[in-house]
Amino acid sequence: QVQLVQSGTEVKKPGASVKVSCKASGYSFTNCAIHWVRQAPGQRLEWMGWINTVSGDTKYSQKFQGGVTITRDTSASTAYIELSSLTSEDTAVYYCATDSGNEVYFDYWGQGTLVTVSS
Amino acid sequence: EIVMTQSPATLSVSPGERATLSCRASQSVSSNLAWYQQRPGQAPRLLIYGASTRATGIPARFSGSGSGTEFTLTISSLQSEDFAVYYCQQYNDWPPLTFGGGTKVEIK
């Protein structure tokens, strides 16, 4: 069955960077794009960006452009999101998710990674 | 950016009763709308896509309707496991993909 397994909880200081991974299994990695979605405490889900796992092409929400980099390693069936210059406002749970391939809704989700930014 | 607005923010319902959740888009999204359920401490789960198509394994008590700017998620007879937060998401025009603010369905 399709599984997306994310890396564990991170605690970072303001100004630091963090890289979260999302390892896919149960399907061919390059069959589906990977998206990243953020959920700050008590807040709505926010789409951050997307990577085409075949070409490596990316799209980002304008809100996160410049502070976020999404990459993938096809040999490891893993996608990554790197957040730089962290502030307390980046404290959130970060999810990876696949889309259906034809339409951009999220049919499978990772378990989420909590990133806490605190001095 | 398409803004998604959900109402009400909180819905108090007794087990076995019907729940009706609304989602409105700031401009037409055609039928390119999905609904998700999120239980506490869990990742969201896809319920509905294409405004009205149930995802694999989703019980028939969940139904979606609407097109354009007005959408509804109906849970016909609430079970204990249905008390959760529900989000709508448009995928008609992106980037960005956008979600509503959520409706929390709580036990009355």
Side-chain angles (χ1 to χ4, degrees):
Chain A
Q1 73 282 19
V2 174
Q3 274 196 305
L4 301 175
V5 177
Q6 298 182 224
S7 49
T9 298
E10 300 270 8
V11 180
K12 295 292 183 182
K13 294 196 182 300
S17 297
V18 68
K19 192 171 185 177
V20 177
S21 67
C22 171
K23 182 170 177 59
S25 61
Y27 73 100
S28 177
F29 181 68
T30 51
N31 278 359
C32 299
I34 296 278
H35 299 254
W36 289 90
V37 175
R38 179 174 94 168
Q39 189 169 39
Q43 301 300 309
R44 72 176 64 193
L45 299 163
E46 286 185 286
W47 179 80
M48 302 179 72
W50 160 99
I51 187 164
N52 179 314
T53 51
V54 176
S55 65
D57 288 345
T58 54
K59 292 184 186 179
Y60 298 99
S61 168
Q62 195 165 4
K63 176 176 180 176
F64 299 102
Q65 192 104 33
V68 169
T69 304
I70 298 173
T71 57
R72 96 292 188 221
D73 179 348
T74 55
S75 67
S77 298
T78 302
Y80 304 90
I81 187 167
E82 184 167 18
L83 313 172
S84 60
S85 302
L86 292 166
T87 73
S88 59
E89 295 189 350
D90 295 313
T91 293
V93 176
Y94 293 81
Y95 293 101
C96 62
T98 60
D99 69 33
S100 68
N102 295 320
E103 296 176 314
V104 195
Y105 53 83
F106 308 117
D107 43 9
Y108 294 97
W109 294 70
Q111 84 275 19
T113 296
L114 174 61
V115 176
T116 301
V117 183
S118 174
S119 56
Chain B
E1 171 174 329
I2 297 177
V3 177
M4 307 301 293
T5 303
Q6 291 185 241
S7 61
T10 304
L11 187 61
S12 298
V13 185
S14 299
E17 288 189 341
R18 173 187 295 258
T20 303
L21 289 66
S22 295
C23 174
R24 174 177 294 177
S26 61
Q27 63 191 73
S28 176
V29 298
S30 186
S31 295
N32 295 314
L33 184 107
W35 288 94
Y36 301 88
Q37 176 194 68
Q38 187 177 34
R39 295 175 178 142
Q42 295 187 13
R45 176 175 72 141
L46 177 68
L47 297 175
I48 300 282
Y49 62 91
S52 61
T53 302
R54 278 190 302 278
T56 303
I58 301 302
R61 64 180 181 272
F62 291 92
S63 63
S65 63
S67 65
T69 62
E70 301 282 344
F71 301 88
T72 301
L73 174 70
T74 302
I75 312 170
S76 60
S77 176
L78 273 157
Q79 307 296 302
S80 57
E81 62 267 27
D82 301 336
F83 292 96
V85 180
Y86 293 82
Y87 294 95
C88 61
Q89 176 235 329
Q90 69 81 21
Y91 52 95
N92 189 67
D93 184 17
W94 69 288
L97 297 160
T98 50
F99 292 88
T103 292
K104 181 180 180 180
V105 177
E106 64 176 26
I107 300 174
K108 188 174 182 180

